[in-house]
């Protein structure tokens, strides 16, 4: 509740137009918490389940149509601003960036995942093929917190590298990204802003070797003057470590482009299982990180895959069952907010464990609460957590009889039951 203070929720609800006046049925704090935590309680995560969770926790009466009408652009603006402010406020514990990470201010991982949508949303969210729709969530994850530092939501066809912006925020930070973000201009900008990058070399990228960074004994073949991809078949070394010259077009302010030449480090590590070199390109120095260190650093990129798996398995972003674009965007934002609430509470429990440790325990408190295991536990107890929050905010849950009545009443009263159809529809003879 300190991460999402009530005053801020109310302020942002008014600023985004979600709430026009005080005293109405919609309460910004009740809506926010019922979505951010109640999202985890339902098995199917439908809007009707959200409505039931809202009523069950915060009381009052609320028609389905009224609740559904809240899922509009103003709600998306509200959720986005709440999420943005929370991510800005949360301090990353850089003390956890130890070992190979200790020289960096932060380590960021850029990645994206596709969320399956109804085919009816194809025009707004076209998928990879013409037969399905999909949204793509682009995330830059901060390793120290495991939370998104940046995020965007696009259709599935939007290419990843268009969503990775650079600037002063990369200074003294390491960016890990896969081949979907491979772009020499991006690498050049990261380097120019005082940051570091590490990614896999694309198969069609063929830098010119200008220098070898590792000396070999004996009568070793010189690689200088050759191209990286051309030496792979005839080389018999455990590692490749060279300077590679690359050419690209650099954007300048008046809209034109100039030809640029830069030199980056290219590293290859032999993979016995695949019987080929794993190739990387980076601006990390050979003095600080050997070739095997580079390969080990890149393995940290898998953390982004774990983040997406958590978002999909625990926070409902594997598939979104709605035909409204506003609902799709809102549910993605709610999934991210649920993640932030869960991780914030996890940090509190880590502090409790650290306070209980006497200093002789060499096991880090954070390792005792693995992120995915914590997420599952948080989901299982989310209904109790939500009720504790509502109690702290001064809301009283409805009585049992009222809860049963709210839960059982059919929101689709216009539908005719089968028995009523059989009993009351005119006979065929009467129709004649």
């Amino acid at each position: 509740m300190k991460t999402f203070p009530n005053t801020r929720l109310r302020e942002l609800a008014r600023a985004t137009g979600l709430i026009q006046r005080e005293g109405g049925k919609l309460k910004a704090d009740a809506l926010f918490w019922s979505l951010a935590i109640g999202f985890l309680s339902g098995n199917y995560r439908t809007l009707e389940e959200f409505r039931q969770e809202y009523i069950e926790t915060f009381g009052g009466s609320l028609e389905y149509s009224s609740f559904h009408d809240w899922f509009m652009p103003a709600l998306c603006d509200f959720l986005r601003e709440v999420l943005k402010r929370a991510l800005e406020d949360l301090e990353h514990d850089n003390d956890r960036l130890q070992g190979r990470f200790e020289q960096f201010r932060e380590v960021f991982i850029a990645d994206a995942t596709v969320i399956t949508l109804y085919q009816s949303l194809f025009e707004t969210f076209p998928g990879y093929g013409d037969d399905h729709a999909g949204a793509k969530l682009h995330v830059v994850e901060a390793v120290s917190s495991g939370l998104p530092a940046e995020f965007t939501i696009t259709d599935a066809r939007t290419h990843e590298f268009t969503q990775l912006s650079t600037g002063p925020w990369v200074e003294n930070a390491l960016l890990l990204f896969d081949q979907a973000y491979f772009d020499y201009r991006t690498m050049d900008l990261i380097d120019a802003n005082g940051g570091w990058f590490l990614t896999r070399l694309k198969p069609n990228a063929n830098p010119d070797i200008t220098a070898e960074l590792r000396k070999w004994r004996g009568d070793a073949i010189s690689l200088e003057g050759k191209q990286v991809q051309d030496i792979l078949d005839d080389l018999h070394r455990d590692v490749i470590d060279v300077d590679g010259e690359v050419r690209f077009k650099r954007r300048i302010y008046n809209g034109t482009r100039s030809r640029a030449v830069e030199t980056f480090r290219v590293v290859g590590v032999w993979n016995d299982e695949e019987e080929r070199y794993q190739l990387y390109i980076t601006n990390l120095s050979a003095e600080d990180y050997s070739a095997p260190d580079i390969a080990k650093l890149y393995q940290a990129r898998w953390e982004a895959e774990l983040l997406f798996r958590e978002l999909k398995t625990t926070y409902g972003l594997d598939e979104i069952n709605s035909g409204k674009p506003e609902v799709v965007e809102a549910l993605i934002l709610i999934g991210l907010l649920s993640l932030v609430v869960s991780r914030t509470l996890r940090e509190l429990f880590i502090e409790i464990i650290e306070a209980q440790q006497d200093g002789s325990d060499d096991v880090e408190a954070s390792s005792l609460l693995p992120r995915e295991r914590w997420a599952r536990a948080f989901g299982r107890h989310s209904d109790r957590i939500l009720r504790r929050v509502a109690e702290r905010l001064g809301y009283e849950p409805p009585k049992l009889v009222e809860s049963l009545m709210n839960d059982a009443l059919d929101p689709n009263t216009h539908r005719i039951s089968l028995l009523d159809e059989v009993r009351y529809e005119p006979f065929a003879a009467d129709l004649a």
Side-chain angles (χ1 to χ4, degrees), residues 94-105 107 143 174 288-289 293 296-297 364:
N94 291 15
D95 291 340
R96 293 183 189 162
L97 294 178
Q98 299 172 352
R100 289 184 175 90
F101 292 153
E102 64 183 358
Q103 81 169 61
F104 306 114
R105 174 183 61 82
V107 178
V143 167
L174 170 65
D288 294 328
Y289 293 94
D293 283 331
K296 182 60 68 175
L297 273 175
E364 287 191 20

Side-chain angles (χ1 to χ4, degrees), residues 366-382:
S366 59
S367 66
L368 297 175
L369 293 177
R371 285 169 175 167
E372 283 193 90
R373 185 179 180 89
W374 169 266
R376 291 192 295 270
F378 179 79
R380 286 193 295 269
H381 296 278
S382 59

